[in-house]
Amino acid sequence: MSYNSTGENEFNSPQNLTVPSASSPVENSVKEPCTTPLSNDTLYSNTNSPSDSCVKPLCDAASEKKSQCNEGVKYVSSEGVKCGWGAFTPACLQFFNTPKGVLLFLCVASFLQGMIVNGFINTVITSIERRFDLHSYQSGLIASSYDIAACGCLTFVSYFGGNGHKPRWLGWGVLIMGVGSLVFALPHFTTSQYEVHLPKENGMCSSNQSMPCAESVSILSNYRFVFMLGQFLHGIGATPLYTLGVTYLDENVKSNYSPVYIAIFYTAAILGPAAGYLVGGMFLNIYTHIGKQMDLTPDNTLWVGAWWIGFLGAGAAALLTAIPILGYPRRLPGSQRYIIMRVSEAHQLKDGIPLRNPTFIFLCLAGATEATLIAGMSTFGPKFLESQYSLSASEAATLFGYLVVPAGGGGTFLGGFIVNKFKLRCSRIIKLCLLCTVTSLLAVFIFFIHCPNMPMAGVTQMYDRRILLESSLNLTAACNTECDCLREIYSPVCGSDDIMYYSACYAGCKKKKSILDSGKTVYYECSCVLENDPSGFAQAIPGKCTSSCERTVLLLFMFFVIFFTFLCSIPALTATLRCVSDRQRSFALGIQWIVVRTLGAIPGPIAFGSMIDLSCLVWQDQCGEQGSCYVYQNSAMSRYTLVAGIVYKVMPSYYFTFTSPSLSMELPLDVFTISQAGNLNHT
């Protein structure tokens, strides 16, 4: 067969694909390959499978009259393959009935999924805990509900969806995801207004302060089941997106263009969380009840931002995006020639079962270990920056978003571009992944460096500036003994002596005043600050003291870690698609996602959170019960992050190293001729 392919979007496949006639001079040297029906009623050549080409004889003259081979390769007509809903197929919609049109709407869907699940959830989880009286393990269960639901339906969706109408599965999935976002925002509208009960004098030095403990568990904590339901719907709806969506793109474009399309698709998924951090951080600066006047500021630990706005907007956008996706046909016009031209390049077995494919198994394990690091860093990356540079939660989320946008998005797109530009085959793709992993492993060693903790009276040093040799909390001193301060109120202030204090009360501040121009509050007559500031100008302002630690080097190397981690994501996915047979691709991706989520995405935040908790200096005191962590020891946090980074970078390096020997053979990407002896020769 000779391929006259002038462009990927030319749909006149019968004219572009010609079969030699009986009088053709190449008849004696080229035999028509046998054809086998795919699950979607399209015929493909068995020579696409290296193992099958070795065990199945080529068609010969004796059997040509009794077999399908004398009929040549059959093509499904592209006529009637239109975009629309049922009988409603207007001509204006056919402009989007191309691979680029599909890519557009799938990118919007993946962007919304990343923004909701990996952006908004990680940004607002602290506000939800405060608003609905949730413990940390309860909010952790809410976050894990997404991956639990996804694991539960991955096999079903990838197997039946892979053999069914993929756009319909994708469209209904995006629709369910949008409903999940609306459900997640529902508790804001079904509860009473958030009330803040401040102690007398707002935590300043005074007597007879009290904050009664709740005798029973708040009924608001029952809303965790509503949040879990929303996350379950998120997980169910997003499942087809990264299995069927990838295979649908791969089926409808050339093999050498497929990595670019998939890279753009995953780049949108990476930009989604970055936008979620940025937009979510902006919404947290708005009070949860818009328009209500409050004395609180976003720096106060009792502040609850408008966490629900993002879920409403993203949910509505997902519902609208699902409509055009539901209108796409089972196959795009002209896709048949790409199925016939596609070949599998790596280890192939006669039964085609991915679980017996060593290349596939090693790629799954490498993806799981990389996912552990990605899930852990995406969850606790803002907290790491917040502690190291003494930032507020919204500032840390915004800075982390600025870091992820160019690093994650750029690395994802560049990885697909490299595979397409240099037309890399499977073994070279694996070597590229190994190079990226080793490079990011070297960049991880930057976590040897850390920013020193800002001096905090009673936590990192004594009130007389002596260094605490042990990590013991001693907030009471002679300067604040008569203040009757409450340990339950953590509202840090920065004194004029550049020392942080647990609260204005523990700083011994007796008065306060508001500066009308800036809207800030200043505490003065602070007895504890006066001891370290003999000038008599002893005052404190709300918030943490500004850190003078240099950010450039640490952020630069964190950029490299994120960049090279995502640089190998699309090449690894491309290798996965090429190491299994065409009919097993959706099912193989489903299995891979189960392994990645079970071994990586679900335990990743738990493992990182447990290690980071080991570096906590000050725990929240909830009427005698331990709550969340207020202050971390920066050196210990960097050390534990370094250990986690090394472990979860060495493991994928090991897997990628042992993946290459499992590749049994390589096949080129373009045109093949079949010699009389049955050998595949590159023309």
Side-chain angles (χ1 to χ4, degrees):
M1 292 185 294
S2 63
Y3 294 86
N4 182 21
S5 178
T6 58
E8 65 167 302
N9 293 325
E10 293 186 8
F11 305 134
N12 298 323
S13 51
Q15 288 80 7
N16 291 336
L17 294 170
T18 59
V19 180
S21 62
S23 60
S24 175
V26 299
E27 181 182 9
N28 295 329
S29 60
V30 179
K31 298 296 182 179
E32 188 68 34
C34 297
T35 56
T36 304
L38 287 173
S39 59
N40 57 5
D41 299 329
T42 303
L43 298 177
Y44 84 106
S45 173
N46 280 339
T47 57
N48 289 342
S49 174
S51 60
D52 291 346
S53 65
C54 297
V55 297
K56 294 185 180 181
L58 299 172
C59 301
D60 51 28
S63 60
E64 191 171 12
K65 295 181 180 180
K66 297 182 180 180
S67 66
Q68 292 181 329
C69 299
N70 59 356
E71 301 176 3
V73 179
K74 296 181 179 180
Y75 301 95
V76 179
S77 174
S78 60
E79 296 181 1
V81 185
K82 295 183 178 181
C83 182
W85 305 272
F88 182 67
T89 58
C92 59
L93 292 179
Q94 308 317 309
F95 175 78
F96 296 98
N97 197 21
T98 63
K100 294 180 181 179
V102 174
L103 179 64
L104 172 64
F105 293 111
L106 289 183
C107 283
V108 174
S110 64
F111 178 85
L112 293 174
Q113 183 273 337
M115 184 169 63
I116 295 170
V117 177
N118 300 319
F120 288 154
I121 297 294
N122 295 336
T123 303
V124 308
I125 199 70
T126 304
S127 299
I128 292 176
E129 288 180 2
R130 186 177 301 123
R131 174 67 179 91
F132 295 95
D133 299 333
L134 299 179
H135 295 291
S136 297
Y137 75 92
Q138 293 172 333
S139 60
L141 185 59
I142 292 173
S144 299
S145 298
Y146 171 84
D147 293 300
I148 294 173
C151 286
C153 59
L154 262 171
T155 304
F156 176 83
V157 170
S158 60
Y159 182 77
F160 291 100
N163 296 323
H165 197 294
K166 291 184 179 69
R168 291 179 183 173
W169 284 80
L170 288 166
W172 281 108
V174 176
L175 188 69
I176 293 174
M177 185 177 67
V179 173
S181 294
L182 299 181
V183 170
F184 201 93
L186 185 63
H188 172 77
F189 302 96
T190 57
T191 58
S192 58
Q193 287 199 354
Y194 175 60
E195 300 292 340
V196 180
H197 300 285
L198 295 175
K200 185 179 179 181
E201 296 299 329
N202 197 19
M204 289 191 301
C205 181
S206 61
S207 59
N208 299 324
Q209 297 192 65
S210 63
M211 179 178 287
C213 295
E215 296 181 358
S216 60
V217 179
S218 172
I219 193 174
L220 291 176
S221 63
N222 292 329
Y223 276 98
R224 68 184 183 274
F225 298 110
V226 180
F227 292 127
M228 290 174 62
L229 175 61
Q231 279 287 74
F232 269 112
L233 294 176
H234 287 157
I236 295 172
T239 299
L241 201 56
Y242 297 103
T243 52
L244 305 182
V246 172
T247 54
Y248 188 69
L249 286 174
D250 186 67
E251 290 169 356
N252 290 281
V253 297
K254 287 183 179 180
S255 295
N256 58 329
Y257 286 168
S258 176
V260 176
Y261 276 73
I262 297 175
I264 296 174
F265 172 69
Y266 271 88
T267 300
I270 298 302
L271 297 178
Y277 283 114
L278 298 177
V279 177
M282 293 171 54
F283 289 150
L284 290 183
N285 289 324
I286 305 173
Y287 190 63
T288 184
H289 300 294
I290 300 177
K292 185 177 180 179
Q293 297 296 327
M294 288 293 298
D295 294 333
L296 296 177
T297 62
D299 295 330
N300 195 295
T301 56
L302 299 177
W303 174 272
V304 174
W307 58 271
W308 48 273
I309 298 179
F311 293 98
L312 281 184
L319 295 179
L320 294 176
T321 306
I323 297 175
I325 296 178
L326 286 169
Y328 276 97
R330 182 190 295 263
R331 294 178 302 273
L332 295 180
S335 63
Q336 294 80 16
R337 57 176 175 173
Y338 304 137
I339 298 176
I340 293 178
M341 292 172 63
R342 188 181 298 114
V343 295
S344 295
E345 299 180 67
H347 188 93
Q348 291 287 322
L349 297 176
K350 296 179 182 180
D351 53 11
I353 300 177
L355 292 178
R356 300 180 184 178
N357 188 328
T359 303
F360 174 76
I361 294 175
F362 280 122
L363 288 173
C364 287
L365 295 176
T369 51
E370 291 278 26
T372 306
L373 185 63
I374 293 174
M377 287 300 296
S378 63
T379 303
F380 297 103
K383 178 173 287 189
F384 180 85
L385 297 179
E386 178 182 350
S387 177
Q388 294 291 323
Y389 299 124
S390 189
L391 303 174
S392 65
S394 60
E395 290 174 338
T398 303
L399 180 60
F400 192 73
Y402 287 142
L403 192 65
V404 170
V405 169
T412 302
F413 179 79
L414 183 60
F417 177 79
I418 291 175
V419 175
N420 172 70
K421 179 67 175 180
F422 298 100
K423 295 180 173 58
L424 299 182
R425 291 176 286 179
C426 215
S427 65
R428 293 189 177 181
I429 290 176
I430 300 300
K431 293 177 182 178
L432 173 64
C433 294
L434 178 60
L435 177 63
C436 294
T437 306
V438 172
T439 304
S440 58
L441 171 62
L442 297 177
V444 162
F445 286 94
I446 191 60
F447 291 110
F448 269 124
I449 303 174
H450 68 275
C451 294
N453 281 86
M454 295 300 297
M456 188 171 186
V459 179
T460 61
Q461 67 178 34
M462 301 292 289
Y463 278 82
D464 57 1
R465 294 200 174 191
R466 288 184 300 171
I467 302 298
L468 283 172
L469 299 179
E470 298 179 359
S471 59
S472 59
L473 192 64
N474 187 13
L475 297 175
T476 305
C479 59
N480 59 24
T481 303
E482 299 179 355
C483 293
D484 194 17
C485 301
L486 294 177
R487 168 73 189 280
E488 290 80 8
I489 302 177
Y490 175 71
S491 182
V493 296
C494 182
S496 56
D497 55 354
D498 293 328
I499 297 177
M500 288 175 54
Y501 296 87
Y502 194 87
S503 66
C505 179
Y506 280 106
C509 301
K510 299 177 177 61
K511 296 181 181 180
K512 70 174 182 178
K513 62 180 178 180
S514 299
I515 302 177
L516 299 179
D517 295 338
S518 61
K520 295 183 178 180
T521 301
V522 176
Y523 299 96
Y524 58 100
E525 292 189 13
C526 304
S527 56
C528 294
V529 179
L530 183 62
E531 292 185 358
N532 297 316
D533 189 4
S535 63
F537 190 69
Q539 62 181 23
I541 57 175
K544 303 175 182 178
C545 293
T546 304
S547 174
S548 59
C549 183
E550 175 61 36
R551 303 182 185 182
T552 305
V553 177
L554 180 60
L555 292 179
L556 180 62
F557 277 84
M558 285 185 65
F559 176 90
F560 285 131
V561 173
I562 299 173
F563 177 81
F564 284 103
T565 298
F566 283 95
L567 182 62
C568 72
S569 59
I570 298 303
L573 179 62
T574 304
T576 301
L577 292 173
R578 293 182 181 178
C579 75
V580 295
S581 63
D582 290 341
R583 289 170 291 179
Q584 295 287 340
R585 291 188 175 188
S586 296
F587 186 57
L589 286 183
I591 295 175
Q592 186 179 58
W593 273 108
I594 291 176
V595 175
V596 168
R597 293 182 186 278
T598 304
L599 301 181
I602 294 178
I606 300 175
F608 269 75
S610 300
M611 287 188 293
I612 289 179
D613 282 342
L614 295 176
S615 60
C616 184
L617 291 176
V618 180
W619 289 95
Q620 181 184 15
D621 186 359
Q622 296 178 328
C623 299
E625 296 183 1
Q626 190 180 86
S628 59
C629 183
Y630 282 150
V631 181
Y632 293 93
Q633 186 177 12
N634 288 347
S635 59
M637 179 181 284
S638 294
R639 184 168 59 252
Y640 292 131
T641 304
L642 173 65
V643 172
I646 292 176
V647 170
Y648 291 111
K649 281 299 180 182
V650 169
M651 292 175 66
S653 301
Y654 173 84
Y655 294 134
F656 284 132
T657 301
F658 284 88
T659 298
S660 296
S662 67
L663 299 175
S664 60
M665 65 182 300
E666 291 185 8
L667 297 179
L669 291 175
D670 39 11
V671 184
F672 293 86
T673 60
I674 308 174
S675 65
Q676 292 180 344
N679 296 322
L680 295 178
N681 297 322
H682 180 225
T683 58

